[in-house]
Amino acid sequence: MARARVQLSASEARRVALAAQGLHRDRPAAQRDVRLFRRALRDIGVVQLDFVNVLMPAHFMMIWSRLGAYDRQYFEDFLYQSGEFTEQWAHEASIVPTSDWPLLGHRRRRFEPWKNSPLNQLDDLDAYLCAVLDRVRQDGAVTSNDLPPVKGPARKPGDWHRSIPRWALEFHFGRGNLAVRRRLPNFQRIYDLPERIIDERHRGTAVPKAAAQRELLRQAASRLGVATLNDLADFYRIAPREARPRVMELVAEGTLSEVAIEGWQEQAYLAADACVPRAITGATLLSPFDPLAWFRPRAKRLFNFDYRIEIYVPAAKRRWGYYVLPFLVGENLVARVDLKADRQNRELLVRSAHLESGADPERVVAALSTELAELSSWLGLDRVCIADGATLGELFRQGRD
């Protein structure tokens, strides 16, 4: 940004946020260029993993939003074989640059089993965990199915249905004793020793907690463009009370500047590398876990978009649908669309669609029709089918009634 800004309009703030996430660019024509994958991954910063496959796993949708149709197998090969990216607990379980490995070391050191983990009820827990690591050292990479079954406590309602070996592998992953080599087609993790996956220059670097948090917050600011303290803290799930002094340090060094945003009640911070595009011209569906939408208060503040995922809401109580994606046109979130890939019948199902207040119905219908047709083709589906044989315009009117 050419000069320090002390205030931004609501429109400028939206454009800054979109540019920070790489959503100001037109989709490229190339599909097999690792430079585009690298750029998209670094624009996103933290790619939250989610394998709900109603449409497609959400992290693959994030790449679609920025690149359009791409070769998914080629992308996965790059993701897990380049050495440039790795899975870590960051926002949630996420893909991050491998260079973030030392920045997340303080989090790995304090990782503990979840309260409902059956590991906590094993009498010989330490011996079992050591045996699992020994198996990997001796035999190489494993999945949870490669380890012998272990009888654990009886499951209670609400318990996660995971085997004891899987709990053990995930504990070692959380502690950094194991890393993820890649995923099987069924999305199962293949675990291996970090020294076989993560470059020594990252594994051998120790970063004190305060310095690590400051750098993570700097990266969050760059990926958000403009944000409040809570927005910045949420990106890597840092407690706001711990984030505050680090943010003040970033302000003092000029990495962040305080800025007033039209309509925002909280203090906002503008990243030094932020830019304000003159206009945003594209259109795309977004993953429910895209950084543009994952922190609901920020989505509300930026776009006046009150977003909620209703997968776990009883059907009768759902307002929007089961798997609803925001639809971005220009600089605004203009609609939300409940989608399902019916792979058996080779159809992309549009189960419901709702137009946001103030959106131009004709413009949204035209843009969404194009997006759905392209998405359907990329998913290998033959057609787009709208609920009850309606048109998109009729579906929007139904959603308004």
Side-chain angles (χ1 to χ4, degrees):
M1 195 166 283
R3 58 186 176 84
R5 299 286 295 269
V6 295
Q7 61 184 28
L8 293 173
S9 68
S11 172
E12 288 173 323
R14 286 192 293 272
R15 283 178 273 144
V16 167
L18 289 163
Q21 279 290 304
L23 287 163
H24 62 309
R25 303 186 187 98
D26 293 335
R27 286 172 171 168
Q31 295 187 25
R32 292 178 61 87
D33 188 336
V34 296
R35 293 171 298 179
L36 297 174
F37 296 154
R38 183 181 294 116
R39 187 181 72 184
L41 288 164
R42 293 195 178 276
D43 282 342
I44 299 166
V46 172
V47 181
Q48 182 177 334
L49 295 165
D50 186 87
F51 290 93
V52 172
N53 205 24
V54 176
L55 179 64
M56 77 175 82
H59 46 289
F60 294 126
M61 187 72 201
M62 293 183 212
I63 307 302
W64 161 269
S65 297
R66 288 149 181 85
L67 301 184
Y70 64 95
D71 186 322
R72 181 167 143 182
Q73 186 59 59
Y74 192 57
F75 169 73
E76 288 191 79
D77 290 344
F78 168 73
L79 191 63
Y80 288 102
Q81 295 177 18
S82 68
E84 297 181 32
F85 298 91
T86 188
E87 292 193 22
Q88 278 285 274
W89 284 100
H91 182 76
E92 295 288 337
S94 306
I95 294 288
V96 297
T98 309
S99 56
D100 283 354
W101 178 271
L103 301 178
L104 298 167
H106 64 281
R107 191 170 296 176
R108 291 192 299 273
R109 289 189 291 273
R110 72 171 190 265
F111 183 87
E112 295 293 340
W114 288 272
K115 291 181 179 179
N116 64 343
S117 170
L119 292 178
N120 295 322
Q121 301 182 47
L122 293 181
D123 294 333
D124 55 350
L125 175 58
D126 289 342
Y128 177 65
L129 291 174
C130 286
V132 169
L133 274 184
D134 286 342
R135 168 70 184 271
V136 180
R137 289 192 189 100
Q138 294 169 14
D139 298 343
V142 300
T143 70
S144 58
N145 290 340
D146 295 324
L147 300 178
V150 175
K151 185 175 181 180
R155 289 173 176 160
K156 295 178 291 187
D159 285 351
W160 289 1
H161 293 275
R162 294 176 177 171
S163 67
I164 295 289
R166 183 176 171 189
W167 281 106
L169 290 168
E170 293 192 2
F171 169 78
H172 282 309
F173 168 71
R175 278 288 177 91
N177 301 324
L178 293 175
V180 176
R181 178 165 290 283
R182 67 171 301 121
R183 297 271 182 162
L184 294 176
N186 65 358
F187 309 132
Q188 191 175 14
R189 281 172 169 161
I190 301 175
Y191 298 88
D192 206 344
L193 299 178
E195 51 263 41
R196 298 172 183 161
I197 300 173
I198 308 297
D199 192 284
E200 196 279 332
R201 73 181 186 276
H202 302 309
R203 290 186 295 104
T205 301
V207 182
K209 180 179 177 181
Q213 289 182 327
R214 183 168 54 250
E215 176 58 20
L216 291 172
L217 288 163
R218 186 199 64 77
Q219 292 181 181
S222 184
R223 274 82 180 247
L224 294 173
V226 63
T228 66
L229 172 69
N230 287 336
D231 298 341
L232 293 167
D234 177 75
F235 201 86
Y236 288 97
R237 295 293 169 89
I238 300 172
R241 68 180 181 279
E242 295 184 358
R244 185 177 298 279
R246 308 287 81 83
V247 168
M248 293 301 100
E249 291 166 3
L250 293 172
V251 171
E253 72 182 31
T255 299
L256 291 177
S257 60
E258 295 182 346
V259 63
I261 308 294
E262 177 190 1
W264 292 27
Q265 302 303 311
E266 300 173 59
Q267 176 65 62
Y269 300 93
L270 184 67
D273 60 355
C275 67
V276 187
R278 291 186 178 181
I280 305 289
T281 59
T284 186
L285 289 160
L286 297 175
S287 158
F289 303 105
D290 195 290
L292 202 66
W294 70 20
F295 191 48
R296 310 313 183 204
R298 185 168 187 262
K300 176 69 173 176
R301 218 183 305 115
L302 272 171
F303 301 102
N304 194 29
F305 192 78
D306 192 4
Y307 189 40
R308 183 185 184 191
I309 297 175
E310 297 182 307
I311 290 176
Y312 301 109
V313 175
K317 296 183 178 181
R318 289 180 197 135
R319 181 180 179 187
W320 308 112
Y322 182 76
Y323 196 73
V324 175
L325 279 65
F327 185 49
L328 176 73
V329 175
E331 67 181 62
N332 294 296
L333 295 177
V334 296
R336 57 192 83 205
V337 191
D338 184 15
L339 296 177
K340 175 182 173 61
D342 182 349
R343 295 171 179 88
Q344 182 174 351
N345 293 312
R346 302 181 66 81
E347 297 174 341
L348 177 59
L349 305 180
V350 184
R351 299 188 288 193
S352 68
H354 297 81
L355 193 69
E356 293 298 293
S357 176
D360 179 347
E362 290 187 6
R363 184 186 181 197
V364 175
V365 166
L368 183 56
S369 296
T370 299
E371 177 78 350
L372 292 172
E374 292 178 355
L375 180 62
S376 175
S377 176
W378 180 60
L379 293 174
L381 306 174
D382 293 336
R383 64 190 70 86
V384 176
C385 292
I386 300 175
D388 302 322
T391 65
L392 279 175
E394 290 167 343
L395 212 57
F396 282 140
R397 286 192 290 274
Q398 292 171 16
R400 206 166 47 231
D401 294 339

